[in-house]
Structures are given as C-alpha cells and as structure tokens.
Amino acid sequence: MKTYSIALLPGDGIGNAVTEAAWDVLQAAAKASDFALEGTFFPWSCDFYKQTGAMMPSDGIETLRRFDAILLGAVGWPAEVPDSVSLHGLLLPIRKAFTQYANIRPHRLLPGVSGPLKSSAFDIVCIRENTEGEYSGAGGRIHQGTLNEVAIETSIFTWKGVERILRFGFEQARARNGRLASVTKSNAQRYSMVFWDEITQMLASEYSDIEVTSYHVDAMAARMVMAPETLDVVVASNLFGDILTDLGAAIQGGLGFAASANINPDRTAPSMFEPVHGSAPDIAHLGIANPIAAIWSGAMMLDHLGEKSAAQRIMAAIEATTGAGIGTIPGNHTTQTITKSVLQTIA
Ligand code: GGG
C-alpha cells in the first residue's frame, strides 16, 4: 500500500485542536481510498521556545526534509513569546528553506455559509509570493532604545523570485478561467513594484491566452469587496498577499474557512499545508475552533500528493457538513461536532 510520511506541527493555541481534527479526517480519507498516511508529531511551538530558547531544534529543517509533506496548525502565543520571534523562528524559515514560493489560498463560499457581501458567486484563488519581498527579514535597528534609534526593514524582490511566482500565477489562470490580476503599488513604490509590473508585462506577451490586469493593492482591496465575482487568479507579493487573503477569508465567511498550501512547485522539498488563521489565544481552550480551514488545507495536501479522489472526498464531506448548517456560524458548533460530521460523510 502506498504510504506517505507526514510531519505534524500543530504549533500553538487552536493549532492543536484543528490539526488533530484534520489528521483524523485525512486518516479516514486515506483508509477509504486505499493508501496510508504515517504521521510524526513535532512539538515545535512557543512552549518549545520557552523550554529550549528556539522554536525548533537547530537540525529542524533537515529533520523535516525527509517527509512527503508538512501539516501545520498555527504559530504564536504573543503573551509569552513575541510574534516576530515565533514567526521568524518556525513558519518563515520552513517556507524559505524548502522554496515553498507559492502560497495558494482559495476564497469561495462553502454551501450554507453566508458571507458579509451581497455577491456570493465568487471563486478566487490568491497566489501569494512566499519566500522574499517584504518578509525577507533583511534589516536592522541601531541606537536601540535611544531617541536616535533607526529601524530599517528592506523588501527584497529578485528577478528569479518575481518571475517564478508570476509564472505560477499565469499557469493557475490557464488551468482555471484564464484571468490573472497582478497586484502591486507601483505608483508609490517605484522600484520593486515597477519591476514587478515590468515582469508581468514581459510574461503577458508569452501567455497571450491569459487576460492580465494590473491593480494597485488598495484598488484590489476595494474590488474584493465590491466586485469579487470579477476576479479569478490574484497574484501578489508576500505582504500584500498576506493582507488580501485575510480580506478573502472575511468575504468567505471568516478565517475558519480559509485554507492554504505553501507549495514547492519543483518538488525538491516538502510542501506545507496550514489554515490561514493563527493560534487564536482568546478561544484556544474553549473547544470551538472551526477545523474546516485545517481540514480543507489537508485536502490540498492530498491533492498535491496526487491523491485527487481522496482530496475530492474530503471537499465533498466539508460541503455536506456546511450544507447541513454545521460549522457555518462561529461558536455554534464545537470543533468535535464539526469534525464528527465531516468524518461521518467520509466513512
Ligand atoms: N496558520 C499559520 C499561522 O499561524 N498563521 C499566522 C500568521 O500570522 N502567519 C503569517 C504568515 O502567514 O505569513
């Protein structure tokens, strides 16, 4: 029987409950489709940081490299570890080390979920650049703690990095409805974002079958609210993609429904799958975290591993669950009830 080895990193807060839920569903889908998933749990988190002084061991990246994929919950416990430490200590290094340069985030309404917009007929895939740009980590502070303090955070945009994410976006558009929206702020940011626009134009002539529109990020934010049905594939830098996909999550009913895949398209290292949401300390011990985003991310993992019918089986079970009104309104159902409903439909 084909067996996939999966690294499980639940992380912090609700990451634990939603990863457990997603793992139960993935196991059920694997069983129903005649393959196996072998999970190895890693306790790398803010708790781990408090015990060891690091978010993961020094050989953490090499340890993860041997897995077929990584399933991650959420990272962050700001009351005890600064978010800048936890994010740069676990999530961002994994994305960079494994060249997971494409972060895919689907935004559509699941059956039974009412979003906040009048328009419900949207189906957007945001492609967020995931390894450089504004989250490169290049910068520093001098004269810290004095009135002469200076802080610099430099965005890094490389030809290679920009071209490959745009190509990925063009290919996604080709596989979908043939429309690509490229997002920058090239009126204000006249170096990096003009560079991005120029590479978009260069590729547009190569992908003449794709309808390409360039938007400024502020205009895109408005469009995602006012006319989301006009969008198909949206490609953006690391920071802009991060922000726009929280907006995407909002229009699809909330962060409990927003799934994501950090993909290494060349398959030279494992890809990582995680819900868009964070650790949600405010509800972490209430048992009401919505596991649907994590389960959907798990379905994206199976799709990436080539187990398409198992992935579709999970999506059908999610849709049957929300279609029956389970998990559609925050706090109305427990994590356990929602998971049980998805599991019942898969079996
Ligand atoms: N689900 C992963 C998680 O904890 N996300 C919180 C977050 O702020 N992530 C930042 C990012 O996606 O770059």
Coordinates of all heavy atoms in Angstrom, one line a residue, residues 275-341:
P275 N -4.0 26.1 7.8 CA -5.0 27.1 7.7 C -4.4 28.5 7.8 O -3.4 28.7 8.3 CB -5.9 26.8 9.0 CG -4.9 26.2 9.9 CD -3.9 25.4 9.1
V276 N -5.1 29.5 7.2 CA -4.6 30.8 7.2 C -4.6 31.4 8.6 O -3.8 32.2 9.0 CB -5.5 31.7 6.2 CG1 -5.1 33.2 6.3 CG2 -5.3 31.2 4.8
H277 N -5.6 31.0 9.4 CA -5.7 31.6 10.7 C -4.5 31.3 11.7 O -3.7 30.4 11.4 CB -7.0 31.1 11.4 CG -7.0 29.6 11.7 ND1 -6.2 29.0 12.7 CD2 -7.8 28.6 11.2 CE1 -6.5 27.7 12.7 NE2 -7.5 27.5 11.9
G278 N -4.5 32.2 12.7 CA -3.4 32.0 13.7 C -3.9 31.1 14.8 O -4.8 30.3 14.7
S279 N -3.2 31.3 16.0 CA -3.4 30.4 17.1 C -4.6 30.8 18.0 O -5.1 30.0 18.9 CB -2.2 30.4 18.0 OG -1.9 31.7 18.4
A280 N -5.2 32.0 17.8 CA -6.4 32.5 18.4 C -6.4 32.2 19.9 O -7.3 31.5 20.5 CB -7.7 31.8 17.8
P281 N -5.5 32.8 20.7 CA -5.4 32.6 22.1 C -6.7 32.8 22.9 O -7.0 32.1 23.8 CB -4.3 33.6 22.6 CG -3.5 33.8 21.4 CD -4.4 33.7 20.2
D282 N -7.6 33.7 22.3 CA -8.8 34.1 23.0 C -9.8 32.9 23.1 O -10.6 32.8 24.0 CB -9.5 35.3 22.4 CG -9.7 35.2 20.9 OD1 -8.9 34.4 20.3 OD2 -10.6 35.8 20.4
I283 N -9.7 32.0 22.1 CA -10.7 30.9 22.1 C -9.9 29.5 22.3 O -10.6 28.4 22.1 CB -11.6 30.8 20.9 CG1 -10.8 30.7 19.6 CG2 -12.5 32.0 20.9 CD1 -11.6 30.2 18.4
A284 N -8.6 29.6 22.6 CA -7.8 28.4 22.5 C -8.3 27.2 23.4 O -8.2 26.1 23.0 CB -6.4 28.7 22.8
H285 N -8.9 27.5 24.5 CA -9.3 26.4 25.4 C -10.8 26.2 25.4 O -11.3 25.5 26.3 CB -8.7 26.6 26.8 CG -7.2 26.8 26.8 ND1 -6.4 25.7 26.4 CD2 -6.4 27.8 27.0 CE1 -5.2 26.1 26.5 NE2 -5.1 27.4 26.8
L286 N -11.5 26.7 24.5 CA -13.0 26.7 24.5 C -13.6 25.5 23.7 O -14.8 25.2 23.8 CB -13.6 28.0 24.0 CG -13.2 29.2 24.9 CD1 -14.0 30.5 24.3 CD2 -13.6 29.0 26.3
G287 N -12.7 24.9 22.9 CA -13.2 23.8 22.1 C -14.1 24.2 20.9 O -14.9 23.4 20.4
I288 N -14.1 25.4 20.5 CA -15.0 25.9 19.5 C -14.3 26.4 18.2 O -14.9 27.0 17.3 CB -15.9 27.1 20.0 CG1 -15.0 28.2 20.5 CG2 -16.9 26.6 21.0 CD1 -15.8 29.5 20.7
A289 N -13.0 26.1 18.1 CA -12.3 26.5 16.9 C -12.8 25.7 15.7 O -13.1 24.5 15.7 CB -10.8 26.1 17.0
N290 N -13.1 26.4 14.6 CA -13.6 25.8 13.4 C -12.5 25.0 12.7 O -11.5 25.7 12.2 CB -14.2 26.8 12.5 CG -15.0 26.2 11.3 OD1 -14.8 25.1 11.0 ND2 -15.9 27.0 10.8
P291 N -12.6 23.7 12.6 CA -11.5 23.0 11.9 C -11.5 22.9 10.4 O -10.7 22.3 9.8 CB -11.7 21.5 12.5 CG -13.2 21.4 12.6 CD -13.7 22.8 13.0
I292 N -12.6 23.6 9.8 CA -12.8 23.4 8.4 C -11.6 23.9 7.6 O -11.1 23.3 6.6 CB -14.1 24.1 7.9 CG1 -15.2 23.2 8.4 CG2 -14.2 24.3 6.4 CD1 -16.6 23.7 8.2
A293 N -11.0 25.1 8.0 CA -9.8 25.6 7.2 C -8.7 24.6 7.3 O -8.0 24.4 6.3 CB -9.4 26.9 7.8
A294 N -8.5 24.0 8.4 CA -7.4 23.0 8.5 C -7.7 21.7 7.7 O -6.8 21.2 7.1 CB -7.1 22.6 10.0
I295 N -9.0 21.3 7.8 CA -9.3 20.1 7.0 C -9.2 20.4 5.5 O -8.7 19.5 4.7 CB -10.8 19.7 7.4 CG1 -10.8 19.3 8.9 CG2 -11.2 18.5 6.5 CD1 -12.3 19.1 9.4
W296 N -9.7 21.5 5.1 CA -9.5 21.9 3.7 C -8.0 22.0 3.3 O -7.6 21.5 2.2 CB -10.2 23.3 3.5 CG -10.4 23.8 2.0 CD1 -9.7 23.3 0.9 CD2 -11.2 24.8 1.6 NE1 -10.1 24.0 -0.2 CE2 -11.0 24.9 0.2 CE3 -12.1 25.7 2.2 CZ2 -11.7 25.9 -0.6 CZ3 -12.8 26.6 1.5 CH2 -12.6 26.7 0.1
S297 N -7.2 22.5 4.2 CA -5.8 22.5 3.9 C -5.2 21.1 3.7 O -4.4 20.8 2.9 CB -5.0 23.2 5.0 OG -5.5 24.5 5.2
G298 N -5.8 20.2 4.5 CA -5.4 18.8 4.4 C -5.8 18.2 3.1 O -5.1 17.4 2.5
A299 N -7.0 18.6 2.6 CA -7.4 18.1 1.3 C -6.4 18.7 0.2 O -6.1 18.0 -0.8 CB -8.8 18.6 1.0
M300 N -6.0 19.9 0.4 CA -5.0 20.5 -0.6 C -3.7 19.6 -0.6 O -3.0 19.4 -1.6 CB -4.7 21.9 -0.3 CG -5.9 22.8 -0.5 SD -5.7 24.5 0.0 CE -4.9 25.3 -1.4
M301 N -3.4 19.1 0.6 CA -2.2 18.3 0.8 C -2.3 17.0 0.0 O -1.4 16.6 -0.8 CB -1.9 18.0 2.2 CG -0.7 17.2 2.5 SD -0.4 16.9 4.2 CE -1.4 15.4 4.5
L302 N -3.5 16.4 0.1 CA -3.7 15.1 -0.6 C -3.7 15.4 -2.1 O -3.1 14.6 -2.9 CB -5.0 14.4 -0.2 CG -5.0 14.0 1.2 CD1 -6.3 13.2 1.5 CD2 -3.8 13.1 1.6
D303 N -4.3 16.5 -2.5 CA -4.3 16.8 -4.0 C -2.8 17.0 -4.5 O -2.5 16.4 -5.5 CB -5.1 18.1 -4.1 CG -5.3 18.5 -5.6 OD1 -6.1 17.8 -6.2 OD2 -4.6 19.4 -6.1
H304 N -2.0 17.7 -3.7 CA -0.6 17.9 -4.1 C 0.1 16.6 -4.1 O 1.0 16.4 -5.0 CB 0.1 18.8 -3.0 CG 1.5 19.1 -3.3 ND1 1.9 19.9 -4.4 CD2 2.6 18.6 -2.7 CE1 3.2 20.0 -4.4 NE2 3.7 19.2 -3.4
L305 N -0.2 15.6 -3.2 CA 0.5 14.3 -3.2 C 0.0 13.4 -4.3 O 0.5 12.3 -4.5 CB 0.3 13.6 -1.8 CG 1.0 14.3 -0.7 CD1 0.5 13.6 0.7 CD2 2.5 14.2 -0.8
G306 N -1.0 13.9 -5.1 CA -1.5 13.1 -6.2 C -2.7 12.2 -5.9 O -3.2 11.5 -6.7
E307 N -3.2 12.4 -4.6 CA -4.4 11.6 -4.2 C -5.7 12.4 -4.4 O -6.3 12.9 -3.5 CB -4.3 11.2 -2.7 CG -3.1 10.3 -2.4 CD -3.2 8.9 -3.1 OE1 -4.3 8.5 -3.6 OE2 -2.1 8.2 -3.2
K308 N -6.0 12.6 -5.7 CA -7.0 13.6 -6.1 C -8.4 13.1 -5.6 O -9.2 13.9 -5.1 CB -7.1 13.7 -7.6 CG -5.7 14.0 -8.3 CD -5.5 15.5 -8.4 CE -4.1 15.7 -8.9 NZ -3.4 17.0 -8.5
S309 N -8.7 11.8 -5.7 CA -10.0 11.4 -5.4 C -10.3 11.5 -3.8 O -11.4 11.9 -3.4 CB -10.4 10.0 -5.9 OG -9.7 9.1 -5.2
A310 N -9.2 11.2 -3.1 CA -9.3 11.4 -1.6 C -9.5 12.9 -1.3 O -10.3 13.2 -0.3 CB -8.1 10.8 -0.9
A311 N -8.8 13.7 -2.0 CA -9.0 15.2 -1.7 C -10.4 15.6 -2.0 O -11.0 16.3 -1.3 CB -8.0 15.9 -2.6
Q312 N -10.9 15.1 -3.2 CA -12.3 15.4 -3.5 C -13.3 14.9 -2.5 O -14.3 15.5 -2.2 CB -12.6 14.9 -4.9 CG -12.1 15.8 -6.0 CD -11.9 15.1 -7.4 OE1 -12.4 14.0 -7.5 NE2 -11.2 15.8 -8.3
R313 N -13.0 13.7 -2.0 CA -13.9 13.1 -1.0 C -14.0 14.0 0.3 O -15.0 14.2 0.8 CB -13.3 11.7 -0.6 CG -14.2 10.8 0.1 CD -13.5 9.6 0.6 NE -13.2 8.6 -0.4 CZ -13.9 7.6 -0.7 NH1 -15.0 7.4 0.0 NH2 -13.6 6.7 -1.6
I314 N -12.8 14.5 0.7 CA -12.8 15.4 1.8 C -13.6 16.7 1.5 O -14.4 17.2 2.3 CB -11.4 15.8 2.3 CG1 -10.7 14.5 2.8 CG2 -11.4 16.9 3.3 CD1 -9.2 14.7 3.2
M315 N -13.4 17.3 0.3 CA -14.1 18.5 0.0 C -15.6 18.3 0.0 O -16.4 19.1 0.4 CB -13.6 19.1 -1.4 CG -12.2 19.7 -1.3 SD -11.9 20.8 0.1 CE -13.1 22.1 -0.2
A316 N -16.0 17.1 -0.6 CA -17.4 16.8 -0.6 C -18.0 16.7 0.8 O -19.1 17.1 1.1 CB -17.7 15.5 -1.4
A317 N -17.2 16.1 1.7 CA -17.6 15.9 3.1 C -17.7 17.3 3.8 O -18.6 17.5 4.6 CB -16.7 15.0 3.9
I318 N -16.8 18.2 3.5 CA -16.8 19.5 4.1 C -18.1 20.2 3.6 O -18.9 20.8 4.4 CB -15.6 20.4 3.7 CG1 -14.3 19.9 4.4 CG2 -15.8 21.9 4.0 CD1 -13.0 20.6 3.9
E319 N -18.4 20.1 2.3 CA -19.5 20.8 1.7 C -20.8 20.2 2.2 O -21.8 21.0 2.5 CB -19.4 20.8 0.2 CG -18.3 21.7 -0.3 CD -18.1 21.7 -1.8 OE1 -18.8 21.1 -2.5 OE2 -17.1 22.4 -2.2
A320 N -20.9 18.9 2.5 CA -22.1 18.3 3.0 C -22.3 18.8 4.5 O -23.4 19.1 4.9 CB -22.0 16.8 3.0
T321 N -21.2 19.0 5.2 CA -21.3 19.4 6.6 C -21.8 20.9 6.7 O -22.8 21.2 7.4 CB -19.9 19.3 7.2 OG1 -19.6 17.9 7.3 CG2 -19.9 19.9 8.6
T322 N -21.2 21.8 5.9 CA -21.6 23.2 6.0 C -23.0 23.3 5.3 O -23.8 24.1 5.8 CB -20.6 24.1 5.3 OG1 -20.4 23.7 3.9 CG2 -19.3 24.1 6.0
G323 N -23.2 22.5 4.3 CA -24.6 22.5 3.6 C -25.7 22.1 4.6 O -26.8 22.6 4.5
A324 N -25.3 21.3 5.6 CA -26.3 20.9 6.7 C -26.3 22.0 7.8 O -27.0 21.7 8.8 CB -26.0 19.5 7.2
G325 N -25.6 23.0 7.6 CA -25.6 24.1 8.6 C -24.7 23.9 9.8 O -24.7 24.6 10.8
I326 N -23.8 22.9 9.7 CA -22.9 22.6 10.7 C -21.5 23.3 10.5 O -20.9 23.1 9.4 CB -22.7 21.1 10.9 CG1 -24.0 20.4 11.2 CG2 -21.6 20.7 12.0 CD1 -24.0 18.9 11.1
G327 N -21.1 24.1 11.5 CA -19.8 24.8 11.3 C -19.9 26.1 10.5 O -18.9 26.6 10.1
T328 N -21.1 26.5 10.3 CA -21.3 27.7 9.4 C -21.3 29.0 10.2 O -21.0 30.1 9.6 CB -22.6 27.6 8.6 OG1 -23.7 27.4 9.5 CG2 -22.5 26.5 7.6
I329 N -21.6 29.0 11.5 CA -21.7 30.2 12.3 C -20.7 30.1 13.4 O -20.8 29.1 14.2 CB -23.1 30.5 12.8 CG1 -24.0 30.7 11.6 CG2 -23.2 31.7 13.8 CD1 -25.5 30.7 11.9
P330 N -19.8 31.0 13.6 CA -18.7 30.9 14.6 C -19.3 30.6 16.0 O -20.3 31.3 16.4 CB -18.0 32.3 14.6 CG -18.3 32.8 13.2 CD -19.6 32.2 12.8
G331 N -18.8 29.6 16.6 CA -19.2 29.3 18.0 C -20.5 28.5 18.2 O -20.8 28.0 19.3
N332 N -21.2 28.2 17.1 CA -22.5 27.5 17.2 C -22.2 26.0 17.3 O -23.1 25.3 17.9 CB -23.3 27.7 16.0 CG -24.3 28.9 16.2 OD1 -24.1 29.6 17.1 ND2 -25.3 29.0 15.4
H333 N -21.1 25.5 16.8 CA -20.8 24.1 17.0 C -19.4 23.9 17.5 O -18.5 24.7 17.2 CB -21.0 23.3 15.6 CG -22.4 23.3 15.1 ND1 -22.9 24.2 14.2 CD2 -23.4 22.5 15.5 CE1 -24.1 23.9 14.0 NE2 -24.5 22.9 14.7
T334 N -19.2 22.8 18.2 CA -17.8 22.6 18.7 C -16.9 22.0 17.6 O -17.4 21.5 16.6 CB -17.8 21.6 19.9 OG1 -18.3 20.4 19.4 CG2 -18.7 22.1 21.0
T335 N -15.6 22.1 17.9 CA -14.6 21.5 16.9 C -15.0 20.0 16.7 O -15.0 19.5 15.6 CB -13.2 21.6 17.5 OG1 -13.0 23.0 18.0 CG2 -12.2 21.3 16.5
Q336 N -15.3 19.4 17.8 CA -15.6 17.9 17.8 C -16.9 17.6 16.9 O -16.9 16.7 16.1 CB -15.9 17.5 19.2 CG -14.9 16.5 19.7 CD -15.3 15.9 21.0 OE1 -16.2 16.4 21.7 NE2 -14.6 14.9 21.4
T337 N -17.9 18.4 17.1 CA -19.2 18.2 16.3 C -18.9 18.4 14.8 O -19.4 17.6 14.0 CB -20.3 19.2 16.8 OG1 -20.4 19.1 18.2 CG2 -21.6 19.0 16.1
I338 N -18.2 19.4 14.5 CA -17.9 19.7 13.1 C -17.1 18.5 12.5 O -17.3 18.0 11.4 CB -17.2 21.0 12.9 CG1 -18.1 22.2 13.4 CG2 -16.9 21.3 11.4 CD1 -17.4 23.5 13.6
T339 N -16.0 18.1 13.2 CA -15.1 17.1 12.8 C -15.9 15.7 12.6 O -15.8 15.0 11.6 CB -14.0 16.8 13.7 OG1 -13.4 18.1 14.0 CG2 -12.9 15.9 13.2
K340 N -16.8 15.5 13.6 CA -17.6 14.2 13.5 C -18.5 14.2 12.3 O -18.6 13.2 11.6 CB -18.4 14.2 14.8 CG -18.6 12.8 15.4 CD -19.1 12.8 16.8 CE -20.4 12.0 16.9 NZ -21.0 12.1 18.1
S341 N -19.0 15.4 12.0 CA -19.9 15.4 10.8 C -19.1 15.2 9.5 O -19.6 14.4 8.7 CB -20.6 16.8 10.8 OG -21.2 17.0 9.5

